[in-house]
Amino acid sequence: MKRTIVTLILLVLGTGFSQAQMLKFGVKGGLNFANYTGGDISGVDFKTITSYHVGAVMELKVFENFAIQPELLYSTQGSELEGFGEQVKNELGYLSLPVLAKFYLTPNKLSLELGPQASVLVSERNEVDANDTNSFDFGLAGGLSYKITDGLFVSGRYVAGLTEAKQDADVKNSVIQFSVGYMF
């Protein structure tokens, strides 16, 4: 009877340990290079702004070479608008939720990440008086990630907006992100 109980305890502990290896949490942050795409506004040029993103990440390993990676990020995006004799910066703060399919190209090191990203506008900083930003943004994200150690990773990603960022202009968010993160 004691052997059966000890065996069951070891089995439960072993299962819990293996499940813990399948689910990891972490933090990440980095640089954004954001701009608007589309929107042929005569006399206005869009210029890239440098901003940042920071947040939490989770990785749920489904198979040996496949995982689901949801993230919750605060990300600043937007563009600098140049035209009509002036230059103005439109910086948008989003709470973003990318949910990425993560395909490991090498065993637990290099991975390809693809998936949708939904974002809600939480702040807007304009150098002009214009509150014409849509409160919801949807896009597709894709990039590469590399684990330097078991916890430390770097990644590069492109997020292409699919919905209009502004009500009065046919522009979409476009952002390149470079991140450093740590998984616990």
Side-chain angles (χ1 to χ4, degrees), residues 72-75 77 92-97 117-124 133-138 173:
L72 183 61
L73 305 172
Y74 177 79
S75 179
Q77 299 174 34
L92 310 172
Y94 288 99
L95 193 57
S96 298
L97 179 66
Q117 175 174 297
S119 301
V120 176
L121 183 70
V122 293
S123 69
E124 181 173 9
T133 304
N134 289 322
S135 61
F136 179 77
D137 188 55
F138 184 78
N173 280 311

Side-chain angles (χ1 to χ4, degrees), residues 20 23-27 56-60 70 151 153 182-184:
L23 181 64
K24 291 187 174 185
F25 295 92
V27 293
V57 59
M58 181 179 83
E59 181 182 291
L60 175 62
F153 68 90
Y182 192 81
M183 300 295 279
F184 302 101

Side-chain angles (χ1 to χ4, degrees), residues 34-36 47 49 76-80 90-92 94 173-174:
N35 204 344
Y36 291 142
K47 304 287 183 188
I49 63 171
T76 54
Q77 299 174 34
S79 183
E80 195 168 280
N90 183 215
E91 190 174 278
L92 310 172
Y94 288 99
N173 280 311
S174 172

